Amino acid sequence: MTEFDQGARVNEIRHESGSRTEHFRLIRGDGRFTADLRIAGLLHAAFVRSPIGHARLVGVSTQEAHQCPGVEAVFTSGELPALSAQLPSPFEIPGFDTRLQSVLAREEARHAGEAAAVVIGTGAQEARTGATRLELELIPLPAVIDVEKALLPDSPRTYSDAAGNLAGRLTRGFGDVDSAFKQAQRVVSRRFSAARAAGAAMEPRCVVVDPSGSDGYALTVYEGTQAPHAVRRSIAKVLGLADKDVRVVAPDVGGGFGPKGRTYPETVALAAIALAIGRPLRWEASRSEDLLTTFHGRGLVVQADIASDEQGHVLGLRARLIQDCGAYLPTAAVVPLNTAQHLLGPYRIPACRFDLELVYTNKTPISPLRGGGRELGVFVLERMLDHLADALDLDPLEIRARNLLQPEDFPYDTGYPSRAGGTVVYDSGQYPACLETAKALVGYDDLCAAQEVDRQAGIYRGVGISMFLESTGLERERARAELTPGGRVQLMVGSPSTGQGHATSFSQVFAREARLPISLIDYRSGDTHLVDTGIGTFASRMAVIAGNAAAAAGKAFRERLREAASEELEAAAFDIDLAGSVLQVAGAPGRGISLETLAGRLESRGHLAKVAVDEEFAPERPTSFAGGAHAAVVRIDPELRSIEIERYVVVHDCGTILNQAIVDGQIHGGVAHGLGNALGEALLYAEDGSLISDSFLLYPIPRAAWVPKIEVKHLASPSPFNPLGVKGAGEGGTIGALATIARAVEHALAPFDVTCDDLPIRLHDSRLVPHAANRQ
Amino acid sequence: MTPADSAIEVRLRVNGLDREIDVDPCRLLVEVLRDDLGLTGAHVGCDSSQCGACVVLLNGLAAKACTVLAAQCNESEVTTIEGLSSGSELHRVQAAFQEHHALQCGFCTPGMIMTTVDLLTTNPSPTEAEITEALHGNLCRCTGYVNIVRAVLSLAAHSSSEGGEG
Amino acid sequence: MIPTGCSYHRPQSIDQAVDALTSGSGAVILAGGQSLIPLMKLGQSRPAALVDVAGIASLRYLNVEGRRIAIGALTTARDLERSTDLAAAVPVFAQAAKQIADPAVRARGTFVGALAFGDPGGDWPAIGLALEATLEVCGPSGSRQVQIGANLTPWEAIKRNEIIASATIEVPDGRTAAVYAKVRHPASGYALVGVAVLLTLDAAGVCTRCRIAATGALRRPARLPTIEASILGSNLDGLDLEEVAASLRAPLAGITGDAYAGSAQRAQLLRVLIHRTLHQTVAKLTSHP
């Protein structure tokens, strides 16, 4: 059944939490984030931005800014060719009206925060003060804010030369949906929406560019990015350089969550200006600037119909997805495609058709954000199952049980067209067990039974359980390893860690395969100089792709070590074992050589490079599917309309676990992010397209007292699609949380007419009017 | 009226060392720590005194270094994350954060640790509710706070060891 | 980062502070700075000069003498939260302090500064109003006493060149209790709505004093005189507190709203908090007669 050596797989959870090697620096304040870098002669940049969503830029008055003390230079789009260039698109969508962002706005600003000028100062304060003195002459134009109204014929346009605001349409699906709906005994239709939300990584974006050439590159760029290689490609392309002339380094990265995986105009602008003036430059976003300009997530409206028989077996699913893309493509396009695919969830769905409409608005562009669109597919599907259960008077868990894929169904060909060609195939899973486990852990039956008594005492408590599925892994990644002259091992991966503990997990995987102690391994990543390729840390792909690359590198490294030792020890390579940091001839005590000695000898002969490996993992099926069930218990104060999350349980199946503490941490953080999206986070815009929620005074990040103690239970169905059997774990916490909370809130407020199909859920907008039937 | 932007002299004791610096009166403590003294452990995560990534101890009490002017700290004692421990020794709060995997990206961590140090000084046996309230002004986007609370709870005087497995 | 420059003064006495305020136009007092500095950073406040009063040692005190509490201008929320004497005499201070921002902000933000500033979502102004603080205000022509009442708020009572040196509170004799409750804004933590209640009952259970102050829901923190009047003189045993709270209508036009919490929502929360704080205050009076 599997294309890999069974012996390499471990069909049980590995409890190898140990100590996280990256923590030591960070807990002592020795982390090196981009803003912590100090370079001599550094100048600072500040951007001047449109405060409103749509305006014609008729002029820029720079004179006053030039006269500010400490202002060294002012740049507008015309000053350098690169400043009026478009940011390159990493992919094309045929038939789409693809509009790309310019580094600096020229004639028109199409979202609040779009930059039109840069002020360079001797210090950050000087640059910013200069920026406040620079005046953009803007003529306001009507702004497109509401994504549904944007599709009306009389709507203002984001692009005056376009016929409307539609960037393009896509249809996805399979099976005979029309006859499924004709045969159906029950059809339920609902509308859903999800507000725009922010990644809000705690580290705001920051870029440092060094054009000194001191490391042999024309340009070295430091940025807390999720994708240094993609940033390098964009910079090189815009500046007309070769990739090999540009080095991009992601130092410690203070969280990513998707939006930090893009190439931003500020990065390219700094690169162009630094190269032009020959001075190192830095730009650090304030939080307000970060909320305004770092790409947003979510922003979707869905109209969905589900067809079933009288027993609740799903016959077909239809949906129209309207994605708010903001002012520019292409990153937004990925999002509704993920949403659509995840509308299938872990269920047997015989037919579906999804119509996607991608719409331009005068808002910040959209990017995948923790979940990457998957969370809204799962949200809509799970909500539809809840509503279908209500319509059929079935328990919502029962309707799920009737439609879930069974363990013997895997690998399961969904029939859904894959973006990579062919169809989407789920690798493994045990969804019925996940559902039963969640139900038992949270005490579902008891909670339901206690509800009536609680309500009489004025306690409104509800429980929600829903399933989730997450496509994880993508593309390819490399792991390199080298023996150092001192006898240590340097392990290198292209894409950076943004908090996922790669240094620990990948060193651990490598060390196990190489049979070396983990303490000998130094891990480095996120530097295009060290590993020339890398796709990026997103799509919950790193454990799946880089994890397997590290394992392959470990295995190969062991062979290189044995070969090198065999020459030194005059023994056959296959006779040599590794014990700790000593290479030992099997059955011959005393005939051994320490790694340190071996390295020293190889170094002296110029042979150290013999013990170096470079392994790429690029599987035929790079995607594995993690999944499981979430359960939440909420208590609601109907007077204050406040929601307290009393318990939160995740039953999680991400196959083989590389490091349980790290996986648990990913789930905790993912759930907290989802709770924020479910219950409060929303980026709100005013009519003129200015952003209302432009600081942490107005954009609510979940706080400690509000996030419950999240309980995690693992069930492991290792993936047959990769040697380690891993599936990604970065986003399942968020993906499962939305529908779970929505159901729990509805359940608690069952006596009232409350429906939670719009995110974030705002009880204050509901009147909490009792159902006529329940009125006493 | 005194001319604007005239530097004033500020005397500080930072992590046990006496410092005398001339600062622009509008400069924030966190800017002086990071830019003038090279102490980059306190981070700037917001501009509205909400995130707490910049928390240091000012005369022994947690303070948001982004909401204090350096000028206000004349004759004050400042302890930053860098001054909490030396060599390979860890302060017990740092050790607990390490042990309980209470950090991921690590950006909010110095502020979390300094707030916790202050909490345990004034309340050696905080309850879980007291811990989450004390951390109200420290935002974290990675951990969901679960392991942070667990780490702090493990240090509470009444706590025998680690809490139950999740 | 504060984008524009300003000058800085560090007076050693109240007189020097008043001089600095008088001589420089656009000079403002800096005490804890927990409201002022964030506004300066966001460019919403651009004072020409800061008069940092932290060096005036005589402003740093908290005196608890029986039912009379004197709070110096430099006394922080944290001082009020931690004082055992104060907790014994007037527990509402610690109870309210715990609901303000976070420990780091409380360690620097001052009670008097919060009264002087009068943030629309500030917590201390509600306490100052409900407990009818008396302010000692110092200016070029000496000092004066200003009693805060239903029609006079602290921030209205002082001129630009005056400084509030202290706030004094006298808790009325008799069975008196006070409670503060708030609903935090989910992002900023300021009061979306906050209510402070002080009630005094006579031996027969008749309310001889009722002060109810609201914050968050109004353009500025304020007392709610019509609600107070409907309680004053009544025997609380016979009063339907929910009905009293529901009678809140008159100031509805003045209830503010924003994109996160509209005025209807804040009005609803205000009614609920008035009901609950009244209920809790009565409960305290009945459990500790």
Side-chain angles (χ1 to χ4, degrees):
Chain A
M1 188 175 122
T2 158
E3 54 216 270
F4 294 107
D5 168 22
Q6 284 287 340
R9 285 177 46 208
V10 178
N11 290 305
E12 61 182 354
I13 295 172
R14 295 168 184 165
H15 291 276
E16 288 186 28
S17 294
S19 182
R20 269 66 53 189
T21 56
E22 50 272 90
H23 287 357
F24 192 72
R25 288 181 309 109
L26 295 167
I27 53 176
R28 292 160 56 92
D30 292 336
R32 282 293 167 267
F33 297 90
T34 306
D36 300 338
L37 302 174
R38 297 290 173 265
I39 295 178
L42 194 64
L43 296 176
H44 296 254
F47 286 81
V48 186
R49 303 173 184 283
S50 170
I52 55 174
H54 199 187
R56 185 164 299 123
L57 178 61
V58 290
V60 184
S61 317
T62 60
Q63 198 180 359
E64 223 187 307
H66 272 297
Q67 288 162 356
C68 279
V71 168
E72 297 268 307
V74 178
F75 288 88
T76 56
S77 67
E79 315 269 331
L80 296 171
L83 295 178
S84 60
Q86 286 186 334
L87 291 176
S89 171
F91 56 88
E92 293 292 322
I93 315 160
F96 263 52
D97 179 13
T98 299
R99 307 284 181 140
L100 302 174
Q101 189 167 17
S102 297
V103 175
L104 292 179
R106 271 187 306 173
E107 285 145 16
E108 217 167 297
R110 292 192 185 83
H111 69 83
E114 186 156 11
V118 193
V119 176
I120 307 297
T122 49
Q125 191 159 0
E126 286 75 6
R128 280 210 193 168
T129 303
T132 62
R133 305 284 155 76
L134 191 146
E135 209 178 313
L136 301 181
E137 292 163 47
L138 297 169
I139 298 174
L141 296 170
V144 181
I145 303 303
D146 183 289
V147 70
E148 285 173 294
K149 286 182 191 156
L151 290 171
L152 299 176
D154 59 348
S155 166
R157 287 174 208 158
T158 311
Y159 291 89
S160 47
D161 62 338
N165 290 308
L166 195 68
R169 274 202 178 88
L170 293 165
T171 296
R172 288 283 186 275
F174 60 86
D176 188 348
V177 183
D178 293 338
S179 58
F181 275 84
K182 272 189 206 124
Q183 288 162 19
Q185 289 162 302
R186 217 38 102 102
V187 173
V188 171
S189 301
R190 291 280 177 164
R191 179 192 177 276
F192 302 88
S193 71
R196 282 178 166 242
M202 292 317 299
E203 178 201 25
R205 282 195 291 128
C206 182
V207 186
V208 171
V209 179
D210 181 1
S212 69
S214 60
D215 57 359
Y217 288 88
L219 208 54
T220 300
V221 177
Y222 301 89
E223 179 174 4
T225 173
Q226 295 169 239
H229 299 83
V231 170
R232 177 182 64 174
R233 185 80 274 275
S234 299
I235 292 172
K237 203 165 173 185
V238 172
L239 298 184
L241 298 170
D243 281 8
K244 66 173 173 48
D245 296 329
V246 181
R247 176 183 181 187
V248 177
V249 183
D252 285 323
V253 185
F257 313 117
K260 280 195 192 167
R262 323 269 71 89
T263 304
Y264 282 94
E266 292 86 357
T267 305
V268 178
L270 254 68
I273 295 169
L275 210 54
I277 66 175
R279 292 280 298 273
L281 275 183
R282 174 171 114 159
W283 168 72
E284 185 180 4
S286 68
R287 175 56 59 187
S288 306
E289 231 176 346
D290 195 74
L291 283 167
L292 185 61
T293 63
T294 298
F295 288 7
H296 299 163
R298 321 285 185 245
L300 181 72
V301 174
V302 179
Q303 180 66 48
D305 315 301
I306 194 164
S308 87
D309 65 15
E310 211 51 67
Q311 286 75 47
H313 296 109
V314 175
L315 303 175
L317 189 61
R318 269 192 317 231
R320 178 188 180 205
L321 289 77
I322 306 172
Q323 175 71 51
D324 171 359
C325 296
Y328 302 102
L329 285 184
T331 53
V334 178
V335 179
L337 285 168
N338 282 336
T339 305
Q341 186 188 316
H342 285 73
L343 278 165
L344 299 177
Y347 302 100
R348 183 178 295 280
I349 293 180
C352 66
R353 189 179 67 235
F354 307 134
D355 298 308
L356 285 60
E357 289 164 70
L358 284 81
V359 181
Y360 287 121
T361 58
N362 289 115
K363 294 187 275 186
T364 302
I366 287 286
S367 143
L369 165 63
R370 204 158 195 173
R374 300 168 185 84
E375 73 295 339
L376 295 180
V378 167
F379 170 69
V380 169
L381 171 65
E382 293 292 321
R383 296 268 57 216
M384 289 301 279
L385 291 173
D386 286 337
H387 294 316
L388 182 61
D390 291 346
L392 293 167
D393 203 19
L394 276 175
D395 184 284
L397 302 195
E398 180 54 31
I399 205 162
R400 286 173 170 81
R402 289 181 190 178
N403 289 285
L404 277 177
L405 295 168
Q406 301 298 313
E408 59 272 20
D409 292 333
F410 295 98
Y412 177 75
D413 187 337
T414 60
Y416 190 84
S418 166
R419 262 185 284 161
T423 51
V424 172
V425 178
Y426 296 164
D427 50 348
S428 62
Q430 40 184 319
Y431 289 95
C434 289
L435 179 59
E436 283 306 315
T437 306
K439 188 178 170 184
L441 281 175
V442 81
Y444 182 77
D445 293 335
D446 291 347
L447 284 163
C448 292
Q451 216 177 21
E452 265 317 302
V453 181
D454 280 349
R455 277 181 199 148
Q456 275 156 25
I459 296 167
Y460 289 84
R461 183 176 280 127
V463 55
I465 297 185
S466 68
M467 308 299 299
F468 78 97
L469 172 131
E470 177 193 6
S471 68
T472 74
L474 194 80
E475 297 256 3
R476 55 188 61 213
E477 202 76 26
R478 270 163 64 200
R480 291 181 55 215
E482 291 173 359
L483 185 63
T484 70
R488 295 184 61 78
V489 180
Q490 181 155 289
L491 174 64
M492 294 160 282
V493 167
S495 298
S497 180
T498 64
Q500 298 85 351
H502 292 168
T504 298
S505 299
F506 299 158
S507 297
Q508 200 179 286
V509 166
F510 177 91
R512 185 175 49 233
E513 298 296 339
R515 314 247 172 109
L516 283 169
I518 191 169
S519 59
L520 280 180
I521 295 161
D522 300 312
Y523 182 84
R524 294 180 69 185
S525 67
D527 183 344
T528 61
H529 175 73
L530 294 176
V531 181
D532 195 43
T533 59
I535 300 297
T537 302
F538 41 68
S540 298
R541 60 182 295 276
M542 287 299 279
V544 183
I545 308 297
N548 278 291
K555 204 176 277 182
F557 195 80
R558 177 164 179 250
E559 292 315 310
R560 294 299 89 73
L561 269 183
R562 291 166 91 186
E563 286 157 17
S566 76
E567 289 176 25
E568 291 298 328
L569 299 173
E570 294 174 343
F574 60 81
D575 271 341
I576 292 172
D577 284 338
L578 260 169
S581 58
V582 176
L583 292 133
Q584 185 76 45
V585 179
R591 277 186 70 198
I593 185 169
S594 76
L595 218 53
E596 199 179 340
T597 311
L598 177 66
R601 290 196 196 156
L602 291 170
E603 163 82 345
S604 65
R605 292 203 297 272
H607 288 171
L608 199 58
K610 281 187 176 173
V611 189
V613 299
D614 186 344
E615 294 287 328
E616 184 174 62
F617 185 67
E620 201 181 324
R621 285 175 165 166
T623 304
S624 57
F625 288 82
H630 285 218
V633 182
V634 303
R635 182 173 169 178
I636 292 169
D637 181 332
E639 281 191 331
L640 290 180
R641 314 282 168 107
S642 60
I643 300 168
E644 183 197 349
I645 305 157
E646 292 187 320
R647 276 192 76 192
Y648 204 98
V649 174
V650 180
V651 180
H652 199 265
D653 180 355
C654 58
T656 307
I657 289 176
L658 300 180
N659 183 302
Q660 194 183 333
I662 285 174
V663 171
D664 287 353
Q666 287 293 310
I667 296 168
H668 297 156
V671 169
H673 206 137
L675 298 179
N677 289 153
L679 294 175
E681 293 185 38
L683 288 160
L684 303 180
Y685 277 86
E687 283 291 302
D688 66 356
S690 57
L691 180 65
I692 297 170
S693 336
D694 65 350
S695 79
F696 280 167
L697 292 171
L698 288 167
Y699 189 82
I701 304 293
R703 292 182 190 247
W706 188 78
V707 180
K709 190 192 287 178
I710 296 154
E711 303 158 53
V712 180
K713 169 82 180 164
H714 296 283
L715 297 181
S717 316
S719 174
F721 289 0
N722 66 73
L724 288 174
V726 295
K727 317 190 232 185
E731 297 165 273
T734 307
I735 291 168
L738 308 177
T740 306
I741 289 293
R743 182 59 186 184
V745 171
E746 266 182 20
H747 190 235
L749 295 177
F752 306 104
D753 194 9
V754 172
T755 305
C756 300
D757 290 343
D758 298 300
L759 299 175
I761 296 162
R762 285 175 53 91
L763 292 182
H764 288 284
D765 295 341
S766 315
R767 293 188 53 220
L768 296 195
V769 180
H771 286 304
N774 292 326
R775 219 169 266 158
Q776 293 180 353
Chain B
M1 190 181 145
T2 334
D5 300 332
S6 60
I8 52 161
E9 190 188 85
V10 175
R11 293 198 304 181
L12 293 165
R13 194 170 172 81
V14 183
N15 297 335
L17 291 174
D18 289 320
R19 306 277 202 162
E20 269 184 38
I21 41 175
D22 290 329
V23 298
D24 177 316
C26 272
R27 290 190 73 210
L28 302 166
L29 175 61
V30 71
E31 292 167 350
V32 169
L33 291 173
R34 290 176 53 82
D35 299 337
D36 297 13
L37 303 180
L39 297 168
T40 56
H43 299 139
V44 179
C46 79
D47 43 14
S48 54
S49 204
Q50 292 291 325
C51 83
C54 64
V55 169
V56 299
L57 299 184
L58 185 53
N59 296 323
L61 300 181
K64 290 184 165 172
C66 76
T67 312
V68 182
L69 301 174
Q72 289 178 284
C73 303
N74 193 29
E75 306 291 342
S76 295
E77 185 155 346
V78 179
T79 307
T80 71
I81 187 78
E82 291 92 342
L84 208 53
S85 59
S86 61
S88 59
E89 289 287 304
L90 290 178
H91 185 279
R92 67 187 189 112
V93 176
Q94 292 171 320
F97 270 58
Q98 161 118 318
E99 166 70 22
H100 292 267
H101 185 44
L103 60 146
Q104 289 179 29
C105 81
F107 192 82
C108 73
T109 309
M112 287 282 178
I113 289 175
M114 299 314 279
T115 300
T116 301
V117 170
D118 178 25
L119 167 68
L120 294 173
T121 307
T122 45
N123 179 4
S125 342
T127 62
E128 192 170 320
E130 287 169 338
I131 292 166
T132 56
E133 263 311 307
L135 295 173
H136 182 80
N138 291 80
L139 299 178
C140 172
R141 196 59 153 168
C142 294
T143 66
Y145 308 98
V146 177
N147 288 344
I148 295 174
V149 174
R150 206 170 270 168
V152 181
L153 208 51
S154 78
L155 297 167
H158 55 73
S159 155
S160 49
S161 66
E162 180 178 356
E165 187 47 53
Chain C
M1 185 178 314
I2 294 171
T4 49
C6 66
S7 64
Y8 175 85
H9 307 269
R10 196 181 173 89
Q12 299 300 310
S13 68
I14 292 174
D15 287 346
Q16 283 177 10
V18 171
D19 281 350
L21 288 171
T22 307
S23 60
S25 68
V28 301
I29 297 169
L30 174 66
Q34 299 302 289
S35 297
L36 179 61
I37 294 173
L39 287 179
M40 289 174 69
K41 285 164 65 180
L42 293 171
Q44 291 169 15
S45 173
R46 298 167 189 267
L50 294 170
V51 180
D52 182 353
V53 295
I56 308 174
S58 63
L59 296 177
R60 191 179 297 276
Y61 61 89
L62 169 62
N63 293 332
V64 182
E65 288 162 21
R67 308 190 77 135
R68 187 176 179 282
I69 318 297
I71 302 168
L74 292 174
T75 301
T76 64
R78 187 150 160 153
D79 295 331
L80 301 176
E81 181 185 351
R82 296 280 158 81
S83 163
T84 47
D85 288 351
L86 183 62
V90 195
V92 71
F93 275 101
Q95 191 240 333
K98 285 187 172 64
Q99 300 179 60
I100 298 172
D102 55 67
V105 169
R106 297 202 288 271
R108 297 195 60 77
T110 64
F111 176 76
V112 166
L115 292 193
F117 189 69
D119 189 282
D123 302 288
W124 285 135
I127 297 291
L129 288 164
L131 272 57
E132 294 176 287
T134 300
L135 309 178
E136 183 193 0
V137 179
C138 301
S141 48
S143 71
R144 60 192 177 105
Q145 303 279 314
V146 176
Q147 164 127 41
I148 298 311
N151 298 312
L152 183 65
T153 47
W155 48 93
E156 288 165 338
I158 48 167
K159 302 188 189 82
R160 288 203 75 89
N161 60 354
E162 289 182 320
I163 170 170
I164 307 177
S166 71
T168 307
I169 281 148
E170 294 241 24
V171 183
D173 287 335
R175 292 164 64 193
T176 296
V179 165
Y180 178 70
K182 79 190 272 199
V183 174
R184 274 173 169 157
H185 187 289
S188 70
Y190 279 94
L192 202 61
V193 175
V195 173
V197 166
L198 177 139
L199 293 178
T200 303
L201 303 188
D202 68 11
V206 172
C207 177
T208 56
R209 181 185 285 251
C210 174
R211 304 285 181 261
I212 302 177
T215 184
L218 310 170
R219 272 161 29 91
R220 286 285 199 146
R223 295 248 305 265
L224 302 173
T226 51
I227 305 271
E228 291 176 359
S230 65
I231 296 170
L232 194 65
S234 305
N235 189 314
L236 286 172
D237 294 341
L239 209 58
D240 183 338
L241 298 175
E242 189 164 5
E243 203 169 284
V244 168
S247 75
L248 178 80
R249 282 203 186 83
L252 263 186
I255 290 185
T256 54
D258 61 20
Y260 287 84
S263 53
Q265 173 184 343
R266 290 191 204 226
Q268 150 76 4
L269 291 175
L270 185 55
R271 288 192 194 96
V272 175
L273 284 193
I274 291 170
H275 173 217
R276 290 189 182 180
T277 44
L278 279 170
H279 182 81
Q280 285 166 26
T281 314
V282 171
K284 285 178 87 169
L285 286 167
T286 7
S287 63
H288 302 288

